[in-house]
Amino acid sequence: MDAEKEALDLPPNEPKWAVNSSIYEVNIRQYTPEGTLEAFRTQHLERVHDLGVDILWLMPIFPISETEKKGELGSYYAVSNFREINPEFGTMEDFKRLLQDAQDLGLKVILDWVPNHTGWDHVWIKEHPDFYTQINGEITDPIDPNTGKSYGWTDVADLNYDNPNLRQAMTADLMYWIEEIGVDGFRMDIAFGVPVDYWAEVIPTLRAANPEIFMLAEAEEAELRNSNKLFTATYAWSLHHKLNAIAKQKDSIAVIEEWHTENQATYQQGYHMHFITNHDENSWQGTIAERMGDAADAMAVLMFTFDGIPLIYSGQEQGLNKRLKFFEKDSIDWNDYAYQDFYKTLNDLKKRNQALWNGKAGGVANRISTDQDDAVYAFYRAKNEDRVVVILNLSPEAQVVTLNCESCEGTYSDIFKGSSIGMSANQTVSLGAWEYQVLELL
C-alpha cells in the first residue's frame, strides 16, 4: 500500500500519508472522569488506534481565560496562552507523552488552534492591545460582518490581522508547536474569519518546517483549498445540513447529487471533511439521534464512503446519546462501545481499498440510476482494480430497487455481513427502512 501512495502525484497540501486516513476528534475534558491528557493516553489511546483512525484532532488544550469566562470551566476556545497546557488537562510533559505514544502507534496529532480571537486575559491584551480589533478605542469581541452585530462570543476578544506584528506573533506560536513540540498539523477554528492572505503567508511557512503537515479549516470556502499552499481539508457543512433535513424527511435525496456535482466543479484540490456529528453539532444542534434518528447509520456509511475524509467525534463509537455540556464537566459514559466494530469495518475498508481514498487519490462517486431515485441513493467508486458499491435506502419504508449499472457487474463481498453477492447490470436489491449495503469487489 505504501508503494501505491508513493506513486501518487498530489499537490503539496495533500500529504500522501493522509490519502486513506480518517479523523478522530478528542474532547479531553469530557473523555474521562479525570478529564486529563494522561487519562486519555492510558485508558483509551490504543483502543482509538484500534478503531482504525489515523489523525487525532485534539480540541484546544491551552489554558482558558478566567476573564469573562462562560460557565464553571469556560470555553476551550477562549485561549489565554498559545504555548502552554491547560493545567486542568495536565502538563506539557503529559502532552509530550501522549504525542509520542500516538506517533509511535502511527497516528498523527493535530491541534485545534484558535487564530480568530483570544481570551480576555491573554498576555497580548495588556502587552499588545494593538493586536486586537477596536471600536471607539475599546477592544471588541468578534463581530459578524454580515450583520454588523456581535456573534455573542463575549468571552473572547477579536484579533486584528491588519497588524503585521500580530501575524508575526501568531506565526511564531504556531511554529513553536511544529518545530519544538513536533505536532503534525492544525485544525483552524473559524478559519473563514481570518484573512486568506494570512493563510497564504503562514501555511507555506509551516509546510517548509514539516512538508507533510495536515491542515484542516473550519470553513467551506473553495479558495482555502484550491492552492498547493493552503489547506488539506475543509468542512462539508452544507452537505451535513442537507443530510439532517433528509433524515427528517424535510428534503429530497436529490440534493445529495446536486451538492456533489457542484462540489466536483468548485473544488480542484484537497477534500471535504464529512461528519454526522462533532463538538459543535453535539452540544448546540443535538445528538445524532435527535438530528438523524433511524437514518443515522446510513448517513454514517455515506460519510465514510463518499469522496472526502470522514470524522468520528468522541463517544460516537459508543453511540453517545446526550448533548455534552460545553462549559461544564460532563463525562462521556463508556460501556459497551456499541459502534466500535461498525466504524472499524468502515475504516479498514477505506485503508485497503483505493476506490475510497480521499480526494483525487480515490475514485469519483458515480451515481447509480435506479427505479426508486426518490428513496434510494446508490453510487460506486472505482480506482485501479478496486471498486465499491454503496446502496442506501434513505427513506422510512422498505424498498425493492433495480440498480442500472453496467460498470457494477461482478462478484462482491458485503463488508458488514461477510456474504458474497453477484451484481448484474440490472440488479434488484431489497432494503429495509434506512437499510444500507456496502459491497467490495472481490
Side-chain angles (χ1 to χ4, degrees):
M1 202 61 70
D2 288 342
E4 286 87 347
K5 289 183 181 180
E6 285 304 314
L8 293 169
D9 181 18
L10 299 174
N13 61 338
E14 296 183 40
K16 291 179 180 179
W17 64 261
V19 296
N20 57 353
S21 293
S22 58
I23 305 173
Y24 188 96
E25 182 185 5
V26 185
N27 185 334
I28 291 292
R29 175 185 288 168
Q30 315 299 21
Y31 213 93
T32 61
E34 301 90 339
T36 63
L37 295 159
E38 185 69 2
F40 173 75
R41 182 184 72 87
T42 58
Q43 298 172 28
H44 289 277
L45 179 60
E46 288 198 12
R47 178 190 61 78
V48 171
H49 170 259
D50 290 344
L51 190 61
V53 299
D54 308 275
I55 302 169
L56 294 185
W57 152 17
L58 301 183
M59 289 178 68
I61 57 173
F62 313 108
I64 294 171
S65 175
E66 289 292 323
T67 306
E68 303 295 337
K69 182 174 70 175
K70 290 189 176 184
E72 181 181 352
L73 298 177
S75 169
Y76 308 91
Y77 296 89
V79 175
S80 64
N81 192 313
F82 286 117
R83 296 202 188 196
E84 295 182 359
I85 299 293
N86 184 344
E88 295 176 9
F89 296 167
T91 66
M92 182 63 81
E93 290 306 311
D94 292 335
F95 175 75
K96 288 179 178 178
R97 279 192 295 271
L98 170 58
L99 177 66
Q100 187 63 59
D101 285 1
Q103 291 176 338
D104 286 348
L105 288 169
L107 295 167
K108 304 290 186 178
V109 177
I110 66 173
L111 297 184
D112 202 333
W113 197 265
V114 193
N116 186 68
H117 47 259
T118 74
W120 286 97
D121 58 20
H122 192 284
V123 64
W124 292 342
I125 289 279
K126 289 184 178 180
E127 295 182 1
H128 302 286
D130 56 314
F131 282 10
Y132 293 87
T133 303
Q134 299 187 22
I135 298 177
N136 297 324
E138 298 291 331
I139 296 173
T140 181
D141 55 284
I143 302 298
D144 184 345
N146 295 316
T147 65
K149 298 180 180 178
S150 170
Y151 282 110
W153 307 336
T154 55
D155 57 340
V156 295
D158 192 64
L159 288 166
N160 176 19
Y161 278 85
D162 291 337
N163 187 331
N165 293 323
L166 164 67
R167 294 182 177 221
Q168 185 178 14
M170 184 65 74
T171 299
D173 281 358
L174 286 161
M175 287 294 287
Y176 167 79
W177 288 93
I178 294 289
E179 294 186 318
E180 301 297 324
I181 308 300
V183 301
D184 300 295
F186 300 94
R187 178 264 186 188
M188 290 295 182
D189 183 66
I190 317 294
F192 58 86
V194 174
V196 175
D197 65 356
Y198 176 66
W199 298 130
E201 290 176 18
V202 68
I203 296 178
T205 301
L206 300 176
R207 192 165 285 124
N210 178 358
E212 294 193 323
I213 60 168
F214 188 93
M215 298 297 295
L216 169 62
E218 189 194 16
E220 201 162 2
E221 286 79 0
E223 62 183 339
L224 294 178
R225 262 175 41 195
N226 287 348
S227 166
N228 293 342
K229 300 177 181 179
L230 300 184
F231 286 91
T232 311
T234 52
Y235 274 48
W237 274 311
S238 53
L239 178 60
H240 175 73
H241 296 151
K242 295 177 191 301
L243 298 184
N244 283 334
I246 291 169
K248 292 184 178 296
Q249 298 179 270
K250 294 181 178 179
D251 211 339
S252 162
I253 71 170
V255 299
I256 301 175
E257 191 62 18
E258 292 169 4
W259 181 91
H260 186 248
T261 299
E262 181 180 354
N263 175 73
Q264 290 291 307
T266 303
Y267 298 87
Q268 281 77 56
Q269 294 182 7
Y271 25 90
H272 276 307
M273 181 182 73
H274 293 307
F275 52 90
I276 60 170
T277 190
N278 57 42
H279 67 271
D280 282 319
E281 297 300 314
N282 170 266
S283 292
W284 307 118
Q285 304 304 322
T287 66
I288 295 170
E290 285 179 282
R291 290 178 290 99
M292 292 186 166
D294 293 339
D297 292 358
M299 297 304 187
V301 167
L302 177 59
M303 295 299 86
F304 264 82
T305 53
F306 225 31
D307 43 5
I309 188 168
L311 172 73
I312 298 173
Y313 177 50
S314 301
Q316 192 171 330
E317 70 273 40
Q318 170 61 40
L320 177 68
N321 195 20
K322 72 172 180 177
R323 300 188 186 198
L324 295 174
K325 296 176 183 177
F326 208 80
F327 308 118
E328 320 288 345
K329 178 64 178 167
D330 189 18
S331 299
I332 297 168
D333 299 318
W334 300 102
N335 47 67
D336 60 356
Y337 304 98
Y339 281 84
Q340 180 88 9
D341 289 343
F342 173 78
Y343 287 112
K344 179 173 174 54
T345 297
L346 289 166
N347 274 321
D348 288 349
L349 176 65
K350 187 175 192 68
K351 273 192 168 59
R352 69 175 178 263
N353 195 298
Q354 292 182 57
L356 295 190
W357 285 9
N358 299 324
K360 290 182 170 58
V364 174
N366 298 286
R367 179 81 187 270
I368 299 171
S369 67
T370 76
D371 58 351
Q372 299 289 343
D373 276 351
D374 58 341
V376 175
Y377 189 79
F379 63 95
Y380 74 91
R381 296 179 64 187
K383 190 65 177 275
N384 297 329
E385 303 302 315
D386 290 340
R387 189 189 312 145
V388 172
V389 174
V390 180
I391 312 163
L392 307 164
N393 179 10
L394 300 183
S395 78
E397 289 85 33
Q399 303 289 337
V400 178
V401 59
T402 298
L403 309 176
N404 305 305
C405 181
E406 292 184 4
S407 298
C408 298
E409 291 182 301
T411 302
Y412 294 78
S413 172
D414 183 317
I415 69 162
F416 289 107
K417 296 179 181 177
S419 55
S420 179
I421 296 175
M423 289 281 290
S424 66
N426 301 104
Q427 185 70 33
T428 299
V429 177
S430 297
L431 296 169
W434 305 111
E435 191 178 358
Y436 51 86
Q437 286 187 339
V438 181
L439 309 177
E440 181 179 24
L441 183 67
L442 293 173

